[in-house]
């Protein structure tokens, strides 16, 4: 991958760095281990709640042939109990995604991959940062909610198919559980999926969301709405000094919902050694306390834990 592959993302990073320097809106450092309100996450929690969603999302980067046959490296790590119901997206304007049944937990899985840095259309989704109304034809929205135009527009390309396939699969497999996961741009689509499904499915269906490297995607009213709909079933994992999770900047009235799980350190074997639950929205002791000036773009890919990075392994 060349440096030029990251050009649209880097432009947004550089603009945000300028804004950060000009307004002093971003602290230069933070120390999660010194904050009394954070909860350190043990390896059992990571293994039981975060690894499987990460592997399911990582699998999509392996491509259609391997994934639909469930023969990829992360597929094998998940185990053989996955039946892929649908492969979708074109890896350009619409990121690839899967809908599957996890037989080991009788859960319907929706997983979205992130931006393809080889596709201009894919990267263009990220930089269309104009805030727009949440689509009233899809959502039963409260007033005043604004979301990132590019993220919502990408979500709308697959929303009806995701809803229909999930509804059908819940009946077919007699399931009462949905897991929604994704990375980067895929994390934004997964979050919108989750709110849509929460509004459309029966309240007896348990919805769990685990997303990785989520950019900011809406205003304060949006963040509050995610908190009130998905609540404690929502986890957004941030990795060390990843600058993407602090874009678009708060100066433009973008805010994260609650549910952050922040990885402070990863050892040379790709194992997360310091992981914290960060109460509230925009907790300055976690990723919101990072400076874009000192951001490390490679942290956006990983590794997050158990040496899981969101990229293709040849």
């Amino acid at each position: 991958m060349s440096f030029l592959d990251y050009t649209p993302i880097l432009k947004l990073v550089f603009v945000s760095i300028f804004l950060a320097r000009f307004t002093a809106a971003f602290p230069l450092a933070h120390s999660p281990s010194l904050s009394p309100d954070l909860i350190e996450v043990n390896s059992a929690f990571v293994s039981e709640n975060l690894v499987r969603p990460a592997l399911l999302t990582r699998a999509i980067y392996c491509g259609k042939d391997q994934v639909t046959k469930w023969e990829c490296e992360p597929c094998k790590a998940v185990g053989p109990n996955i039946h892929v119901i649908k492969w979708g997206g074109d890896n350009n304007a619409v990121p690839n995604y899967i809908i599957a049944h996890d037989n080991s937990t009788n859960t319907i899985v929706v997983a979205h991959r992130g931006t393809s840095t080889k596709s201009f259309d894919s990267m263009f989704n990220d930089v269309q940062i104009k805030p727009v109304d949440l689509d009233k034809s899809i959502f039963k929205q409260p007033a005043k909610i604004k979301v990132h135009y590019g993220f919502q527009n990408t979500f709308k390309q697959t929303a009806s198919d995701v809803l229909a396939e999930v509804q059908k699969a819940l009946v077919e497999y007699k399931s009462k559980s949905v897991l929604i996961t994704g990375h980067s741009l895929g994390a934004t689509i997964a979050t919108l999926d989750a709110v849509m499904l929460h509004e459309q499915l029966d309240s007896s269906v348990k919805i769990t969301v685990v997303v990785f490297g989520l950019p900011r995607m809406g205003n304060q009213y949006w963040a509050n709405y995610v908190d009130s709909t998905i609540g404690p079933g929502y986890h957004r994992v941030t990795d060390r000094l990843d600058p993407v999770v602090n874009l678009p900047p708060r100066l433009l009235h973008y805010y994260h919902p609650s549910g952050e799980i922040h990885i402070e350190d990863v050892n040379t074997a790709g194992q997360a050694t310091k992981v914290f639950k960060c109460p509230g929205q925009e907790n300055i002791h976690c990723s919101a306390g990072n400076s874009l000036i000192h951001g490390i773009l490679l942290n956006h890919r990983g590794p997050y834990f158990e040496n899981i990075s969101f990229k293709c392994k040849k």
Side-chain angles (χ1 to χ4, degrees), residues 1 5-6 9 58 61 113-118 183-184 212-213 239-240 242-244 296-305 307-312:
M1 184 181 298
D5 290 332
Y6 284 112
I9 298 173
R58 162 71 183 85
Y61 286 82
R113 71 157 284 167
T115 303
S116 170
T117 56
K118 296 180 180 180
H183 169 243
S184 193
F212 304 88
D239 187 18
R240 293 168 290 172
D242 176 7
V244 174
I296 300 175
L297 191 56
L298 289 176
N299 287 170
H300 187 58
R301 292 283 192 184
Y304 283 72
F305 25 67
N307 208 28
I308 299 171
S309 291
F310 295 104
K311 60 183 179 180
C312 293

Side-chain angles (χ1 to χ4, degrees), residues 179-232:
L179 168 66
I180 309 168
T181 183
H183 169 243
S184 193
L185 174 59
T188 71
I189 302 170
T191 301
L192 286 159
D193 278 352
V195 173
M196 173 185 69
L197 292 173
H198 176 87
E199 292 182 344
Q200 295 292 334
L201 299 180
D202 188 87
S203 59
S204 63
V205 177
K206 179 183 178 183
I207 297 175
T208 302
V209 187
V210 182
V211 293
F212 304 88
L214 175 76
R216 294 191 182 101
M217 54 183 299
N219 64 4
Q220 183 73 71
Y221 294 99
W222 165 252
N224 293 344
Y225 194 51
V226 173
D227 286 356
S228 65
T229 52
I230 312 172

Side-chain angles (χ1 to χ4, degrees), residues 222-270:
W222 165 252
N224 293 344
Y225 194 51
V226 173
D227 286 356
S228 65
T229 52
I230 312 172
Y234 187 78
H235 301 306
R236 57 178 185 90
V237 183
T238 59
D239 187 18
R240 293 168 290 172
L241 297 177
D242 176 7
V244 174
V245 301
N246 281 326
L247 298 173
R250 292 195 302 273
L251 184 67
L252 300 181
H253 306 293
Y254 279 87
Y255 294 87
H256 272 305
S258 303
E260 181 178 10
I261 295 177
H262 182 64
I263 299 170
E264 177 66 11
D265 196 20
V266 176
N267 65 23
T268 55

